[in-house]
Every structure is written in structure tokens, then in C-alpha cells.
Amino acid sequence: MPTSLTVTSVYNMALDMIAEAPLSSTSGVNEYARWLNRNYPPVVEAALRANPWNFACEYHQLNASVDAPAFRWKTKYDLPNLWLRVLPLTISGYRGAAPVSHEVKGNALYTNTTSALNVELVMNKQDPGEWDPLFATYVAAKLAHGMAHRFVRKTTFVQLCAQQAQQAYDQAELIDAFEGTPDLTEQHDIIRVRY
């Protein structure tokens, strides 16, 4: 879902939340622009890792690396560039299927599976043009909360921005959850065996 959002528009949404003047570009030299440029990437990465947002999830098929793990696991799989989170692995790659034991260390995934592995990854999407507009509101509110604490130093603004961030997250998560078939409810193994 491409949108017209830009990094500058996300910055300005955040500045609006703390009642500050907007920026004309991200290359501004004022203290707000410098703070936003410094904090934008880690805030976006943390927000993306917080939830498997539909716009940030991608399917990948990983092939086993030629470097075998020294112990504990049979196979190592190298993860692609810009990955942020590995969603739970299953035998067929489908949610709700039998889980696959695994471990993520550094930029590699370790498991006892030896064939190609179907994985769903949350990717590092830094371009707001690729985001859901509700996610952009969440990121702007998180940035505003940080700026309110750093620049405004008024308890009411800090609390208001924290509340706006939580409301934006809740709304974005709710809408995001309805864009697809709902996950099956988890069943205990004893119930699964009956069927």
C-alpha cells in the first residue's frame, strides 16, 4: 500500500504533537531536525520489531549455509539483509502448523532441519511511503514523546505524547490484525492428537 508519506511528513506530524513549527526538509540545522535525524532510525526499527506489521513482513526461502554449526544444531541459515525479526518457524511455513525448534544468533538462524526453510521475516522498512498510515502515526507519536521529554520538559506534553503513542499503536495493531485470515487458536497437543 504505497502512500504519499515522507520522512519530512513524519517529522512534522511529531512536531505538531508537541506544538512546534514544522520543518521544510530533513536537512534542517535546527536542534529539532538534528534530534529527529539521529533518533528516527532506531525508533522505526524498534516499532517494526514490536509487532509483525503486514506491510513489513516478507516471505523468504532460505537455503542451508555451507558452514555447519560447531554443536547443538545441524544446520545454519544466513538471514537476508535488512531483516529485523524472525517470526515463529513451522514445518510448512504456515502459521498454526507444527513448530520447528530454532535459535537466532547474529545474522544466522540455526535449526535441525536440513532442507530449504520457508520463513516469514519482519524487514527494516525505513521509507514511510511503504508504511501503513496508522503505523506512521505511531512512529510520529513515539518521536514526539522523545522530543517532549528532551525539549518541552512539560509533564503534560510527555504524558499526552505517551498516551497518543499507545493509542496509535493499539489502533494500528487492531487494523493490521484484520487484514488477513485470523490465526487459529493454539491447541494443546492432547487436543491436536484427537483430530
Short mmCIF file of all heavy atoms in Angstrom, two decimals, residues 113-181:
data_model
loop_
_atom_site.label_atom_id
_atom_site.label_comp_id
_atom_site.label_asym_id
_atom_site.label_seq_id
_atom_site.Cartn_x
_atom_site.Cartn_y
_atom_site.Cartn_z
N THR A 113 16.63 -28.77 10.96
CA THR A 113 16.09 -29.03 9.63
C THR A 113 17.24 -28.91 8.63
O THR A 113 18.08 -28.03 8.76
CB THR A 113 15.00 -28.01 9.28
OG1 THR A 113 14.01 -28.06 10.29
CG2 THR A 113 14.37 -28.28 7.94
N THR A 114 17.26 -29.77 7.63
CA THR A 114 18.37 -29.72 6.67
C THR A 114 17.93 -29.27 5.28
O THR A 114 18.77 -29.00 4.44
CB THR A 114 19.02 -31.11 6.56
OG1 THR A 114 18.03 -32.08 6.23
CG2 THR A 114 19.72 -31.48 7.86
N SER A 115 16.63 -29.19 5.03
CA SER A 115 16.17 -28.78 3.70
C SER A 115 15.99 -27.26 3.65
O SER A 115 16.21 -26.56 4.63
CB SER A 115 14.84 -29.47 3.40
OG SER A 115 13.88 -29.11 4.38
N ALA A 116 15.56 -26.76 2.50
CA ALA A 116 15.26 -25.33 2.37
C ALA A 116 14.18 -24.97 3.38
O ALA A 116 13.29 -25.76 3.67
CB ALA A 116 14.79 -25.03 0.95
N LEU A 117 14.28 -23.79 3.92
CA LEU A 117 13.42 -23.38 5.02
C LEU A 117 12.56 -22.19 4.61
O LEU A 117 13.09 -21.18 4.13
CB LEU A 117 14.31 -23.01 6.22
CG LEU A 117 13.71 -22.87 7.57
CD1 LEU A 117 13.07 -24.19 8.03
CD2 LEU A 117 14.78 -22.46 8.57
N ASN A 118 11.24 -22.32 4.76
CA ASN A 118 10.33 -21.22 4.47
C ASN A 118 10.14 -20.40 5.74
O ASN A 118 9.70 -20.92 6.76
CB ASN A 118 8.98 -21.74 3.99
CG ASN A 118 9.08 -22.45 2.67
OD1 ASN A 118 9.85 -22.07 1.81
ND2 ASN A 118 8.31 -23.50 2.50
N VAL A 119 10.50 -19.12 5.67
CA VAL A 119 10.41 -18.26 6.86
C VAL A 119 9.66 -16.98 6.52
O VAL A 119 9.63 -16.54 5.37
CB VAL A 119 11.81 -17.89 7.42
CG1 VAL A 119 12.55 -19.12 7.89
CG2 VAL A 119 12.63 -17.12 6.42
N GLU A 120 9.07 -16.40 7.55
CA GLU A 120 8.44 -15.09 7.43
C GLU A 120 9.26 -14.14 8.29
O GLU A 120 9.50 -14.41 9.47
CB GLU A 120 6.99 -15.14 7.90
CG GLU A 120 6.23 -13.87 7.62
CD GLU A 120 4.75 -13.98 8.00
OE1 GLU A 120 4.32 -15.03 8.50
OE2 GLU A 120 4.02 -12.99 7.77
N LEU A 121 9.70 -13.04 7.68
CA LEU A 121 10.58 -12.10 8.37
C LEU A 121 9.96 -10.71 8.41
O LEU A 121 9.30 -10.29 7.46
CB LEU A 121 11.92 -11.99 7.63
CG LEU A 121 12.70 -13.28 7.42
CD1 LEU A 121 13.89 -13.03 6.50
CD2 LEU A 121 13.18 -13.84 8.75
N VAL A 122 10.20 -10.01 9.50
CA VAL A 122 9.88 -8.58 9.56
C VAL A 122 11.12 -7.87 9.04
O VAL A 122 12.23 -8.07 9.54
CB VAL A 122 9.56 -8.13 11.00
CG1 VAL A 122 9.35 -6.62 11.06
CG2 VAL A 122 8.33 -8.86 11.52
N MET A 123 10.93 -7.05 8.01
CA MET A 123 12.04 -6.37 7.36
C MET A 123 12.13 -4.92 7.81
O MET A 123 11.15 -4.32 8.23
CB MET A 123 11.88 -6.45 5.84
CG MET A 123 11.80 -7.88 5.31
SD MET A 123 13.22 -8.92 5.69
CE MET A 123 14.45 -8.22 4.59
N ASN A 124 13.32 -4.36 7.69
CA ASN A 124 13.59 -2.98 8.10
C ASN A 124 13.15 -2.02 7.00
O ASN A 124 13.91 -1.69 6.11
CB ASN A 124 15.07 -2.80 8.41
CG ASN A 124 15.37 -1.47 9.04
OD1 ASN A 124 14.50 -0.64 9.24
ND2 ASN A 124 16.63 -1.25 9.36
N LYS A 125 11.91 -1.57 7.08
CA LYS A 125 11.35 -0.65 6.09
C LYS A 125 11.43 0.76 6.65
O LYS A 125 10.59 1.16 7.45
CB LYS A 125 9.90 -1.01 5.79
CG LYS A 125 9.69 -2.45 5.38
CD LYS A 125 9.50 -2.57 3.92
CE LYS A 125 9.22 -4.01 3.56
NZ LYS A 125 9.04 -4.19 2.16
N GLN A 126 12.42 1.52 6.25
CA GLN A 126 12.62 2.87 6.76
C GLN A 126 11.87 3.93 5.95
O GLN A 126 11.73 5.06 6.39
CB GLN A 126 14.12 3.21 6.77
CG GLN A 126 14.93 2.43 7.76
CD GLN A 126 14.83 2.97 9.17
OE1 GLN A 126 14.70 4.17 9.39
NE2 GLN A 126 14.86 2.09 10.15
N ASP A 127 11.38 3.57 4.77
CA ASP A 127 10.70 4.54 3.91
C ASP A 127 9.22 4.62 4.27
O ASP A 127 8.47 3.66 4.09
CB ASP A 127 10.84 4.10 2.44
CG ASP A 127 10.12 5.01 1.47
OD1 ASP A 127 9.64 6.08 1.88
OD2 ASP A 127 10.05 4.65 0.27
N PRO A 128 8.75 5.77 4.78
CA PRO A 128 7.35 5.91 5.17
C PRO A 128 6.37 5.72 4.01
O PRO A 128 5.20 5.43 4.23
CB PRO A 128 7.26 7.34 5.71
CG PRO A 128 8.64 7.71 6.08
CD PRO A 128 9.52 6.96 5.12
N GLY A 129 6.84 5.85 2.77
CA GLY A 129 5.98 5.61 1.62
C GLY A 129 5.51 4.17 1.53
O GLY A 129 4.53 3.87 0.85
N GLU A 130 6.19 3.24 2.22
CA GLU A 130 5.82 1.83 2.24
C GLU A 130 4.98 1.46 3.46
O GLU A 130 4.55 0.33 3.59
CB GLU A 130 7.07 0.95 2.24
CG GLU A 130 7.97 1.11 1.03
CD GLU A 130 9.21 0.24 1.13
OE1 GLU A 130 9.06 -0.96 1.44
OE2 GLU A 130 10.32 0.75 0.92
N TRP A 131 4.78 2.40 4.38
CA TRP A 131 4.11 2.12 5.64
C TRP A 131 2.60 2.25 5.55
O TRP A 131 2.07 2.97 4.71
CB TRP A 131 4.56 3.09 6.72
CG TRP A 131 5.99 3.06 7.10
CD1 TRP A 131 6.94 2.16 6.71
CD2 TRP A 131 6.64 4.00 7.96
NE1 TRP A 131 8.14 2.48 7.29
CE2 TRP A 131 7.99 3.60 8.05
CE3 TRP A 131 6.22 5.12 8.65
CZ2 TRP A 131 8.91 4.31 8.82
CZ3 TRP A 131 7.13 5.82 9.41
CH2 TRP A 131 8.46 5.41 9.49
N ASP A 132 1.94 1.61 6.48
CA ASP A 132 0.53 1.87 6.75
C ASP A 132 0.46 3.25 7.42
O ASP A 132 1.27 3.54 8.29
CB ASP A 132 -0.01 0.79 7.68
CG ASP A 132 -1.48 0.93 7.95
OD1 ASP A 132 -1.87 1.95 8.56
OD2 ASP A 132 -2.24 0.02 7.58
N PRO A 133 -0.49 4.11 7.03
CA PRO A 133 -0.58 5.44 7.65
C PRO A 133 -0.75 5.39 9.17
O PRO A 133 -0.26 6.29 9.88
CB PRO A 133 -1.81 6.06 6.99
CG PRO A 133 -1.94 5.35 5.69
CD PRO A 133 -1.45 3.95 5.95
N LEU A 134 -1.40 4.36 9.69
CA LEU A 134 -1.55 4.26 11.14
C LEU A 134 -0.21 3.97 11.83
O LEU A 134 0.04 4.43 12.94
CB LEU A 134 -2.57 3.17 11.49
CG LEU A 134 -4.00 3.46 11.06
CD1 LEU A 134 -4.87 2.23 11.24
CD2 LEU A 134 -4.57 4.64 11.82
N PHE A 135 0.64 3.22 11.17
CA PHE A 135 1.98 2.97 11.70
C PHE A 135 2.79 4.27 11.71
O PHE A 135 3.54 4.53 12.66
CB PHE A 135 2.70 1.89 10.88
CG PHE A 135 4.09 1.60 11.34
CD1 PHE A 135 4.31 0.79 12.44
CD2 PHE A 135 5.19 2.13 10.69
CE1 PHE A 135 5.60 0.51 12.89
CE2 PHE A 135 6.48 1.86 11.12
CZ PHE A 135 6.68 1.05 12.23
N ALA A 136 2.62 5.09 10.69
CA ALA A 136 3.31 6.39 10.64
C ALA A 136 2.89 7.26 11.81
O ALA A 136 3.72 7.95 12.42
CB ALA A 136 3.03 7.09 9.31
N THR A 137 1.62 7.23 12.15
CA THR A 137 1.14 7.99 13.31
C THR A 137 1.78 7.47 14.58
O THR A 137 2.17 8.25 15.46
CB THR A 137 -0.40 7.89 13.41
OG1 THR A 137 -0.97 8.37 12.19
CG2 THR A 137 -0.95 8.70 14.57
N TYR A 138 1.93 6.17 14.70
CA TYR A 138 2.58 5.57 15.87
C TYR A 138 4.04 6.02 15.97
O TYR A 138 4.50 6.44 17.03
CB TYR A 138 2.47 4.05 15.80
CG TYR A 138 3.28 3.32 16.84
CD1 TYR A 138 3.07 3.54 18.19
CD2 TYR A 138 4.26 2.42 16.48
CE1 TYR A 138 3.82 2.88 19.16
CE2 TYR A 138 5.00 1.74 17.43
CZ TYR A 138 4.78 1.98 18.77
OH TYR A 138 5.52 1.32 19.72
N VAL A 139 4.78 5.96 14.87
CA VAL A 139 6.18 6.38 14.88
C VAL A 139 6.29 7.87 15.22
O VAL A 139 7.13 8.27 16.03
CB VAL A 139 6.87 6.08 13.52
CG1 VAL A 139 8.23 6.74 13.42
CG2 VAL A 139 6.99 4.57 13.31
N ALA A 140 5.41 8.68 14.64
CA ALA A 140 5.43 10.12 14.94
C ALA A 140 5.16 10.36 16.42
O ALA A 140 5.82 11.21 17.05
CB ALA A 140 4.39 10.84 14.09
N ALA A 141 4.23 9.62 17.00
CA ALA A 141 3.92 9.78 18.42
C ALA A 141 5.10 9.35 19.29
O ALA A 141 5.39 9.97 20.32
CB ALA A 141 2.66 9.00 18.79
N LYS A 142 5.81 8.27 18.89
CA LYS A 142 7.00 7.85 19.63
C LYS A 142 8.09 8.92 19.56
O LYS A 142 8.76 9.21 20.56
CB LYS A 142 7.53 6.52 19.09
CG LYS A 142 6.63 5.33 19.32
CD LYS A 142 6.51 4.95 20.76
CE LYS A 142 7.75 4.24 21.25
NZ LYS A 142 7.66 3.82 22.66
N LEU A 143 8.27 9.51 18.38
CA LEU A 143 9.25 10.58 18.24
C LEU A 143 8.83 11.80 19.07
O LEU A 143 9.66 12.42 19.74
CB LEU A 143 9.40 10.97 16.76
CG LEU A 143 10.11 9.95 15.87
CD1 LEU A 143 9.92 10.30 14.40
CD2 LEU A 143 11.58 9.84 16.22
N ALA A 144 7.55 12.14 19.03
CA ALA A 144 7.05 13.28 19.80
C ALA A 144 7.27 13.07 21.29
O ALA A 144 7.62 14.00 22.02
CB ALA A 144 5.56 13.51 19.50
N HIS A 145 7.07 11.84 21.75
CA HIS A 145 7.28 11.53 23.17
C HIS A 145 8.74 11.79 23.56
O HIS A 145 9.02 12.39 24.59
CB HIS A 145 6.89 10.09 23.45
CG HIS A 145 7.04 9.70 24.88
ND1 HIS A 145 8.08 8.90 25.32
CD2 HIS A 145 6.32 10.03 25.98
CE1 HIS A 145 7.98 8.74 26.62
NE2 HIS A 145 6.93 9.41 27.06
N GLY A 146 9.66 11.35 22.72
CA GLY A 146 11.08 11.60 22.98
C GLY A 146 11.42 13.08 22.95
O GLY A 146 12.18 13.58 23.79
N MET A 147 10.85 13.81 21.98
CA MET A 147 11.11 15.25 21.91
C MET A 147 10.46 15.99 23.06
O MET A 147 11.03 16.97 23.57
CB MET A 147 10.61 15.81 20.57
CG MET A 147 11.50 15.46 19.41
SD MET A 147 11.08 16.37 17.92
CE MET A 147 9.43 15.82 17.61
N ALA A 148 9.29 15.58 23.48
CA ALA A 148 8.62 16.25 24.60
C ALA A 148 9.47 16.14 25.85
O ALA A 148 9.61 17.11 26.60
CB ALA A 148 7.24 15.65 24.83
N HIS A 149 10.05 14.98 26.04
CA HIS A 149 10.92 14.79 27.21
C HIS A 149 12.19 15.62 27.09
O HIS A 149 12.65 16.22 28.05
CB HIS A 149 11.27 13.30 27.35
CG HIS A 149 12.10 13.00 28.54
ND1 HIS A 149 11.60 13.04 29.82
CD2 HIS A 149 13.41 12.67 28.64
CE1 HIS A 149 12.57 12.75 30.67
NE2 HIS A 149 13.67 12.51 29.98
N ARG A 150 12.76 15.68 25.88
CA ARG A 150 14.04 16.36 25.65
C ARG A 150 13.90 17.88 25.55
O ARG A 150 14.69 18.61 26.12
CB ARG A 150 14.67 15.81 24.37
CG ARG A 150 15.82 16.58 23.79
CD ARG A 150 17.10 16.34 24.58
NE ARG A 150 18.26 16.87 23.93
CZ ARG A 150 18.66 18.14 24.00
NH1 ARG A 150 17.95 19.02 24.65
NH2 ARG A 150 19.76 18.54 23.38
N PHE A 151 12.90 18.37 24.83
CA PHE A 151 12.83 19.79 24.53
C PHE A 151 11.78 20.55 25.34
O PHE A 151 12.04 21.63 25.84
CB PHE A 151 12.55 20.00 23.04
CG PHE A 151 13.64 19.51 22.15
CD1 PHE A 151 13.45 18.41 21.34
CD2 PHE A 151 14.87 20.13 22.12
CE1 PHE A 151 14.46 17.93 20.52
CE2 PHE A 151 15.89 19.67 21.30
CZ PHE A 151 15.68 18.57 20.50
N VAL A 152 10.59 20.04 25.41
CA VAL A 152 9.48 20.78 26.01
C VAL A 152 9.56 20.75 27.53
O VAL A 152 9.31 21.74 28.20
CB VAL A 152 8.12 20.23 25.51
CG1 VAL A 152 6.98 21.01 26.12
CG2 VAL A 152 8.07 20.29 23.99
N ARG A 153 9.89 19.58 28.06
CA ARG A 153 10.05 19.37 29.51
C ARG A 153 8.80 19.75 30.30
O ARG A 153 8.90 20.24 31.41
CB ARG A 153 11.27 20.10 30.03
CG ARG A 153 12.56 19.52 29.51
CD ARG A 153 13.76 20.09 30.23
NE ARG A 153 14.97 19.48 29.74
CZ ARG A 153 15.78 20.04 28.86
NH1 ARG A 153 15.51 21.22 28.38
NH2 ARG A 153 16.87 19.42 28.48
N LYS A 154 7.65 19.56 29.71
CA LYS A 154 6.39 19.76 30.42
C LYS A 154 5.76 18.39 30.62
O LYS A 154 5.56 17.65 29.66
CB LYS A 154 5.45 20.67 29.64
CG LYS A 154 5.93 22.11 29.55
CD LYS A 154 4.92 22.95 28.80
CE LYS A 154 5.42 24.38 28.67
NZ LYS A 154 4.53 25.17 27.81
N THR A 155 5.44 18.07 31.84
CA THR A 155 4.89 16.76 32.16
C THR A 155 3.64 16.47 31.35
O THR A 155 3.43 15.35 30.90
CB THR A 155 4.59 16.68 33.67
OG1 THR A 155 5.77 17.03 34.37
CG2 THR A 155 4.16 15.28 34.06
N THR A 156 2.82 17.48 31.14
CA THR A 156 1.57 17.26 30.39
C THR A 156 1.85 16.82 28.96
O THR A 156 1.17 15.95 28.44
CB THR A 156 0.69 18.52 30.40
OG1 THR A 156 1.47 19.62 29.91
CG2 THR A 156 0.16 18.82 31.78
N PHE A 157 2.85 17.43 28.30
CA PHE A 157 3.19 17.04 26.94
C PHE A 157 3.76 15.63 26.91
O PHE A 157 3.46 14.85 26.01
CB PHE A 157 4.19 18.02 26.31
CG PHE A 157 3.56 19.17 25.58
CD1 PHE A 157 3.58 20.44 26.12
CD2 PHE A 157 2.94 18.98 24.36
CE1 PHE A 157 3.01 21.50 25.46
CE2 PHE A 157 2.37 20.02 23.69
CZ PHE A 157 2.39 21.31 24.24
N VAL A 158 4.62 15.31 27.86
CA VAL A 158 5.22 13.97 27.91
C VAL A 158 4.12 12.92 28.08
O VAL A 158 4.08 11.92 27.36
CB VAL A 158 6.26 13.87 29.05
CG1 VAL A 158 6.76 12.45 29.20
CG2 VAL A 158 7.43 14.81 28.78
N GLN A 159 3.21 13.16 29.00
CA GLN A 159 2.11 12.21 29.24
C GLN A 159 1.18 12.13 28.03
O GLN A 159 0.75 11.04 27.65
CB GLN A 159 1.33 12.61 30.48
CG GLN A 159 2.10 12.42 31.76
CD GLN A 159 1.39 13.02 32.97
OE1 GLN A 159 0.47 13.82 32.83
NE2 GLN A 159 1.83 12.63 34.16
N LEU A 160 0.88 13.27 27.44
CA LEU A 160 -0.01 13.29 26.26
C LEU A 160 0.61 12.52 25.10
O LEU A 160 -0.07 11.73 24.44
CB LEU A 160 -0.30 14.73 25.86
CG LEU A 160 -1.21 14.92 24.65
CD1 LEU A 160 -2.61 14.37 24.93
CD2 LEU A 160 -1.29 16.39 24.25
N CYS A 161 1.91 12.73 24.86
CA CYS A 161 2.58 12.02 23.76
C CYS A 161 2.66 10.52 24.02
O CYS A 161 2.49 9.72 23.10
CB CYS A 161 3.97 12.60 23.53
SG CYS A 161 3.93 14.26 22.82
N ALA A 162 2.89 10.12 25.27
CA ALA A 162 2.91 8.70 25.60
C ALA A 162 1.53 8.08 25.37
O ALA A 162 1.41 6.98 24.83
CB ALA A 162 3.34 8.49 27.05
N GLN A 163 0.50 8.81 25.74
CA GLN A 163 -0.87 8.34 25.55
C GLN A 163 -1.20 8.25 24.05
O GLN A 163 -1.80 7.28 23.60
CB GLN A 163 -1.83 9.29 26.25
CG GLN A 163 -3.26 8.82 26.28
CD GLN A 163 -4.14 9.80 27.05
OE1 GLN A 163 -3.91 11.00 27.06
NE2 GLN A 163 -5.16 9.26 27.70
N GLN A 164 -0.77 9.25 23.28
CA GLN A 164 -1.00 9.23 21.83
C GLN A 164 -0.27 8.06 21.18
O GLN A 164 -0.80 7.42 20.27
CB GLN A 164 -0.55 10.54 21.19
CG GLN A 164 -1.47 11.70 21.46
CD GLN A 164 -0.93 12.99 20.86
OE1 GLN A 164 0.28 13.22 20.83
NE2 GLN A 164 -1.82 13.84 20.39
N ALA A 165 0.95 7.78 21.63
CA ALA A 165 1.71 6.66 21.08
C ALA A 165 1.00 5.34 21.36
O ALA A 165 0.88 4.49 20.47
CB ALA A 165 3.13 6.64 21.66
N GLN A 166 0.50 5.16 22.58
CA GLN A 166 -0.20 3.91 22.92
C GLN A 166 -1.50 3.77 22.12
O GLN A 166 -1.81 2.70 21.62
CB GLN A 166 -0.49 3.85 24.42
CG GLN A 166 -1.06 2.51 24.86
CD GLN A 166 -0.14 1.34 24.54
OE1 GLN A 166 1.02 1.34 24.90
NE2 GLN A 166 -0.65 0.33 23.85
N GLN A 167 -2.25 4.86 21.99
CA GLN A 167 -3.49 4.81 21.21
C GLN A 167 -3.20 4.52 19.74
O GLN A 167 -3.91 3.73 19.11
CB GLN A 167 -4.25 6.14 21.34
CG GLN A 167 -4.88 6.35 22.69
CD GLN A 167 -5.47 7.75 22.85
OE1 GLN A 167 -5.22 8.64 22.04
NE2 GLN A 167 -6.25 7.93 23.91
N ALA A 168 -2.16 5.14 19.19
CA ALA A 168 -1.80 4.90 17.79
C ALA A 168 -1.38 3.45 17.58
O ALA A 168 -1.75 2.82 16.60
CB ALA A 168 -0.68 5.85 17.37
N TYR A 169 -0.59 2.91 18.52
CA TYR A 169 -0.16 1.51 18.42
C TYR A 169 -1.37 0.58 18.48
O TYR A 169 -1.50 -0.33 17.65
CB TYR A 169 0.81 1.17 19.55
CG TYR A 169 1.26 -0.28 19.52
CD1 TYR A 169 2.35 -0.64 18.74
CD2 TYR A 169 0.59 -1.27 20.22
CE1 TYR A 169 2.77 -1.97 18.68
CE2 TYR A 169 1.00 -2.59 20.16
CZ TYR A 169 2.09 -2.93 19.40
OH TYR A 169 2.49 -4.24 19.34
N ASP A 170 -2.26 0.80 19.43
CA ASP A 170 -3.44 -0.06 19.58
C ASP A 170 -4.30 -0.05 18.32
O ASP A 170 -4.75 -1.10 17.85
CB ASP A 170 -4.28 0.37 20.79
CG ASP A 170 -3.58 0.11 22.11
OD1 ASP A 170 -2.60 -0.67 22.13
OD2 ASP A 170 -4.01 0.70 23.12
N GLN A 171 -4.51 1.15 17.76
CA GLN A 171 -5.34 1.25 16.56
C GLN A 171 -4.65 0.60 15.36
O GLN A 171 -5.28 -0.14 14.61
CB GLN A 171 -5.65 2.71 16.26
CG GLN A 171 -6.63 2.89 15.10
CD GLN A 171 -6.95 4.34 14.82
OE1 GLN A 171 -6.22 5.24 15.22
NE2 GLN A 171 -8.03 4.57 14.12
N ALA A 172 -3.35 0.84 15.20
CA ALA A 172 -2.61 0.25 14.08
C ALA A 172 -2.59 -1.27 14.19
O ALA A 172 -2.78 -1.98 13.21
CB ALA A 172 -1.19 0.81 14.04
N GLU A 173 -2.38 -1.78 15.40
CA GLU A 173 -2.34 -3.23 15.61
C GLU A 173 -3.69 -3.86 15.33
O GLU A 173 -3.78 -4.92 14.71
CB GLU A 173 -1.90 -3.52 17.04
CG GLU A 173 -1.75 -5.00 17.33
CD GLU A 173 -1.39 -5.27 18.77
OE1 GLU A 173 -1.93 -4.59 19.67
OE2 GLU A 173 -0.57 -6.16 18.99
N LEU A 174 -4.76 -3.20 15.74
CA LEU A 174 -6.11 -3.72 15.52
C LEU A 174 -6.44 -3.81 14.03
O LEU A 174 -6.89 -4.84 13.53
CB LEU A 174 -7.15 -2.85 16.24
CG LEU A 174 -8.60 -3.29 16.08
CD1 LEU A 174 -8.84 -4.63 16.77
CD2 LEU A 174 -9.53 -2.22 16.65
N ILE A 175 -6.18 -2.74 13.31
CA ILE A 175 -6.45 -2.73 11.86
C ILE A 175 -5.57 -3.74 11.15
O ILE A 175 -6.02 -4.48 10.28
CB ILE A 175 -6.24 -1.31 11.28
CG1 ILE A 175 -7.23 -0.32 11.89
CG2 ILE A 175 -6.36 -1.32 9.76
CD1 ILE A 175 -8.69 -0.63 11.68
N ASP A 176 -4.30 -3.80 11.53
CA ASP A 176 -3.35 -4.72 10.91
C ASP A 176 -3.79 -6.17 11.11
O ASP A 176 -3.64 -7.00 10.22
CB ASP A 176 -1.97 -4.50 11.54
CG ASP A 176 -0.86 -5.08 10.70
OD1 ASP A 176 -0.67 -4.63 9.57
OD2 ASP A 176 -0.17 -5.99 11.20
N ALA A 177 -4.38 -6.47 12.26
CA ALA A 177 -4.81 -7.84 12.57
C ALA A 177 -5.97 -8.29 11.68
O ALA A 177 -6.14 -9.49 11.45
CB ALA A 177 -5.22 -7.94 14.03
N PHE A 178 -6.77 -7.37 11.17
CA PHE A 178 -7.92 -7.74 10.36
C PHE A 178 -7.60 -7.88 8.88
O PHE A 178 -8.47 -8.19 8.09
CB PHE A 178 -9.05 -6.72 10.54
CG PHE A 178 -9.79 -6.89 11.84
CD1 PHE A 178 -9.66 -5.96 12.85
CD2 PHE A 178 -10.59 -8.00 12.06
CE1 PHE A 178 -10.33 -6.12 14.05
CE2 PHE A 178 -11.26 -8.17 13.26
CZ PHE A 178 -11.13 -7.23 14.26
N GLU A 179 -6.37 -7.65 8.49
CA GLU A 179 -6.00 -7.75 7.08
C GLU A 179 -5.43 -9.13 6.77
O GLU A 179 -4.27 -9.29 6.46
CB GLU A 179 -4.99 -6.66 6.72
CG GLU A 179 -5.58 -5.28 6.79
CD GLU A 179 -4.63 -4.20 6.35
OE1 GLU A 179 -3.41 -4.33 6.61
OE2 GLU A 179 -5.09 -3.23 5.76
N GLY A 180 -6.25 -10.13 6.90
CA GLY A 180 -5.84 -11.49 6.61
C GLY A 180 -6.70 -12.47 7.37
O GLY A 180 -7.53 -12.09 8.20
N THR A 181 -6.52 -13.74 7.10
CA THR A 181 -7.26 -14.77 7.80
C THR A 181 -6.78 -14.83 9.24
O THR A 181 -5.58 -14.84 9.48
CB THR A 181 -7.01 -16.14 7.12
OG1 THR A 181 -7.33 -16.01 5.73
CG2 THR A 181 -7.86 -17.22 7.74
#
